[in-house]
Amino acid sequence: MPESTTTTITPPAHQPAQVTKPTRPLRASTNSEGELIQPEVDPAVRRFRLTALLFLTGVVIIALPALNLMGLIDTHNMNRIGRYMCFVLVALGIDLIWGYTGVLSLCQAFFFCLGGYAIGMHLSLPEGGGDVRPEYNNIPQFFHFSNVRELPLFWEPFASLPFAIAAGMLIPATIAGVFGFFIFRSRVRGVYFAIITQALAWAAALTFARNELLLGGSNGLTNFNRSLNQSQVWVLGLYLLTAGTIIVAFLGCRSLTRSRLGRILIATRDNESRLRFAGYRPEWFKLFVFIIAAVLAGVGGMLYVPQNGIITPNLMRVEDSIWMIVWVALGGRGRLWGAVFGAMVVGLTYSMMTSDLPQAWPFIQGAMFLAVVLLFPNGLVGLWDKLEKEIAAGRNAYRVLIAMLLVFTVFLLDRKGIIPDAMRWPADVRFDLPYWLLAAALLVTLWGRVAVAAIPLATIFVFILADAVGAMPNAMRADFLGLPMKYPVVIAILAAVALYYLIRDGRQHAIDTLQSNLASLRTFLGGKEGTQS
């Protein structure tokens, strides 16, 4: 009898490329227990990740508050940064529900405002330090104009701060749970789910704008304690509270996405029908993440309102929810830290551009939409991935960090007038001596095998941070070609880096094409000689 043989079927080489797509955030496999196995990371890349993390944490937690205490950063600038940091929590929730689960929700601004209204009701009352007066019966002033002389019954529990905080999380969670239960159970998904959530946000904005709801109508809630966003102690306290909340939320979301539950969420996004066929109920996982995203948005709203001093239904608009989606898309969908930086970059850019070029902002906003869709589908994380490849290839990124510190230091010293008069040149010279010394130092620092991808990231970080903390010097605010000087400088740096990659990639493509043609020619000639022989 013939011997039995065992045939091993090897899958085609192209199959892994179909399973693992380059745009997916997680490429790790799982072990026998379903836990994620993280891929091996180059030691140089791992060291740089740790350095960048410690650097950014030090800037946010230590450097900026210390500079504020030293008087180098104004309190109102710290308040502005703290306000935009609140939107990071919303972006983390959007990345969970959209980036990892594949559900596009256009009502996150509604959940954000629910948390804001909960804490705003407390801050409007005397127990929360609200600006109430005896002639208005010691209740919020807008009640007087609605012919209400006593505090409504549903307002009374919000006199307690713990109740207001709990309500700011439970109300968004409850609404998201009830709404999501019926929608997900009906297997509504894709663009239809986005349209329904858009309708929810629009209906909520119209409802909250009505005076009959006794929540301030279209004027919203205001007249809070002014020290919340003016006193240095309160501003720094809320700033650090927001930063700490972001760290806790980020670590929690990171732990969730790296767990078995996170793997199921990714499977829901990639192939929901196949997951359902395997015996899972995707609607329950989507409902869970939808609730988590709503709670994160509510917490962000609670931190935002005391720093902003007002909450109105205008923040519930569908446009705001769509704009929040752009934050995540620009930062990088499916990468939590991309959502963090996307929210901060877009928010602070909005603040900067609306101050310098308010008429141009709508066009820049539209350009961001187009850039994300056409040019940067992976967002800022795509540039970071390129940076890590360069670091693994032996290029130095630490010198870019040093250059970034030098630029920010010179900006801050010049803005605060600390540079000695002996180093200042006549008024007809655009840049003083320190800037020429800075240019020479940058040439020395960036000369050699530096990680070029770090340059645009550092440029964006330095210029946005300098403007946010009020450290942008007059030399960069001066007019040049009808624009403040800082914009042509940033555009020139980004264009130079783009040209570098264009030339490098074009040259490499030409070399690869030439080698391929030479190999084909050798094969052709070798086959021809064999035929003749």
Side-chain angles (χ1 to χ4, degrees):
M1 296 181 63
E3 297 180 359
S4 60
T5 59
T6 302
T7 303
T8 302
I9 301 177
T10 304
H14 67 276
Q15 284 187 1
Q18 295 178 350
V19 177
T20 304
K21 299 182 180 180
T23 58
R24 297 308 184 192
L26 297 178
R27 303 176 178 85
S29 58
T30 57
N31 57 18
S32 58
E33 298 179 356
E35 298 176 348
L36 291 177
I37 302 175
Q38 299 301 323
E40 291 294 331
V41 180
D42 186 271
V45 174
R46 185 182 294 111
R47 287 194 299 269
F48 183 76
R49 286 180 180 177
L50 180 60
T51 302
L53 178 62
L54 294 177
F55 174 78
L56 292 174
T57 304
V59 168
V60 174
I61 302 297
I62 300 175
L64 294 184
L67 291 173
N68 175 251
L69 293 175
M70 295 168 59
L72 296 177
I73 297 179
D74 295 334
T75 300
H76 75 274
N77 289 323
M78 292 296 296
N79 173 256
R80 177 173 55 177
I81 298 175
R83 293 201 309 268
Y84 285 108
M85 286 171 58
C86 298
F87 294 113
V88 170
L89 295 169
V90 187
L92 286 174
I94 292 175
D95 202 24
L96 282 180
I97 187 68
W98 182 45
Y100 284 89
T101 315
V103 178
L104 181 59
S105 172
L106 296 180
C107 63
Q108 296 307 112
F110 168 53
F111 298 132
F112 179 83
C113 288
L114 286 177
Y117 267 93
I119 199 68
M121 293 171 70
H122 172 75
L123 297 177
S124 299
L125 298 175
E127 293 80 1
D131 183 15
V132 296
R133 302 176 184 179
E135 58 267 28
Y136 296 127
N137 299 324
N138 290 322
I139 59 177
Q141 299 178 20
F142 69 87
F143 283 124
H144 176 77
F145 302 102
S146 299
N147 296 321
V148 177
R149 299 294 180 261
E150 295 182 358
L151 190 68
L153 184 63
F154 73 94
W155 269 75
E156 294 180 359
F158 288 91
S160 170
L161 178 60
F163 179 87
I165 294 176
M169 293 185 289
L170 292 178
I171 293 177
T174 302
I175 294 178
V178 174
F179 176 80
F181 172 77
F182 291 102
I183 298 300
F184 291 130
R185 192 183 66 168
S186 303
R187 299 188 180 183
V188 177
R189 54 184 178 178
V191 66
Y192 302 103
F193 180 82
I195 293 174
I196 292 177
T197 54
Q198 183 178 4
L200 173 64
W202 181 253
L206 294 178
T207 302
F208 274 73
R210 296 184 64 86
N211 293 325
E212 294 85 348
L213 201 61
L214 299 181
L215 289 175
S218 59
N219 295 323
L221 302 178
T222 184
N223 293 328
F224 307 145
N225 193 329
R226 295 183 179 181
S227 61
L228 292 174
N229 55 10
Q230 295 180 6
S231 172
Q232 185 183 45
V233 175
W234 277 105
V235 169
L236 271 184
L238 290 171
Y239 170 87
L240 293 174
L241 177 62
T242 305
T245 305
I246 290 174
I247 293 175
V248 173
F250 179 85
L251 294 177
C253 293
R254 183 174 180 268
S255 176
L256 188 151
T257 56
R258 294 194 172 194
S259 64
R260 297 182 63 183
L261 175 59
R263 198 65 179 171
I264 296 176
L265 297 180
I266 297 173
T268 303
R269 177 197 66 194
D270 292 343
N271 197 329
E272 182 177 341
S273 299
R274 186 172 182 178
L275 184 67
R276 192 183 303 275
F277 182 76
Y280 289 91
R281 298 287 299 275
E283 58 270 19
W284 296 116
F285 297 101
K286 292 193 288 187
L287 177 61
F288 170 75
V289 177
F290 190 51
I291 294 174
I292 295 297
V295 172
L296 287 174
V299 173
M302 286 192 290
L303 292 170
Y304 176 81
V305 168
Q307 298 180 78
N308 191 50
I310 187 173
I311 177 69
T312 69
N314 286 332
L315 287 176
M316 294 185 188
R317 296 177 305 172
V318 177
E319 296 93 322
D320 292 283
S321 294
I322 295 176
W323 191 230
M324 292 173 179
I325 297 296
V326 176
W327 300 343
V328 179
L330 186 64
R333 175 190 172 193
R335 301 279 281 274
L336 292 173
W337 69 265
V340 173
F341 284 96
M344 290 302 298
V345 167
V346 175
L348 293 177
T349 301
Y350 166 80
S351 176
M352 179 174 60
M353 295 294 298
T354 50
S355 298
D356 297 332
L357 304 168
Q359 296 179 350
W361 172 246
F363 300 98
I364 297 173
Q365 183 179 7
M368 286 184 177
F369 277 97
L370 296 177
V372 169
V373 174
L374 300 178
L375 302 178
F376 307 105
N378 295 330
L380 292 177
V381 298
L383 195 57
W384 179 268
D385 292 338
K386 187 184 290 292
L387 170 61
E388 290 190 345
K389 291 179 181 179
E390 294 181 358
I391 294 175
R395 291 185 174 270
N396 193 318
Y398 296 97
R399 285 188 285 172
V400 180
L401 291 179
I402 296 174
M404 181 172 60
L405 288 175
L406 290 175
V407 172
F408 183 79
T409 302
V410 173
F411 280 6
L412 183 62
L413 294 178
D414 187 17
R415 180 63 176 172
K416 296 304 177 180
I418 302 177
I419 295 178
D421 294 336
M423 301 184 68
R424 296 189 180 275
W425 287 359
D428 57 344
V429 180
R430 181 178 291 273
F431 296 105
D432 293 325
L433 179 59
Y435 288 96
W436 296 102
L437 296 177
L438 174 63
L442 292 179
L443 287 176
V444 174
T445 304
L446 300 177
W447 188 265
R449 287 176 55 83
V450 298
V452 180
I455 296 177
L457 291 174
T459 301
I460 294 172
F461 179 82
V462 167
F463 277 82
I464 290 180
L465 179 64
D467 192 88
V469 301
M472 190 64 67
N474 292 329
M476 288 294 168
R477 295 175 179 269
D479 183 76
F480 181 77
L481 299 177
L483 296 173
M485 186 67 186
K486 56 187 175 183
Y487 296 111
V489 170
V490 172
I491 293 173
I493 294 174
L494 298 181
V497 173
L499 182 62
Y500 165 81
Y501 280 116
L502 183 63
I503 295 175
R504 190 198 67 173
D505 295 342
R507 182 179 62 182
Q508 185 63 39
H509 178 71
I511 293 174
D512 294 341
T513 303
L514 180 60
Q515 291 177 348
S516 177
N517 292 337
L518 290 175
S520 300
L521 182 60
R522 293 192 195 99
T523 303
F524 174 75
L525 294 177
K528 186 175 182 180
E529 292 176 357
T531 303
Q532 292 177 354
S533 62

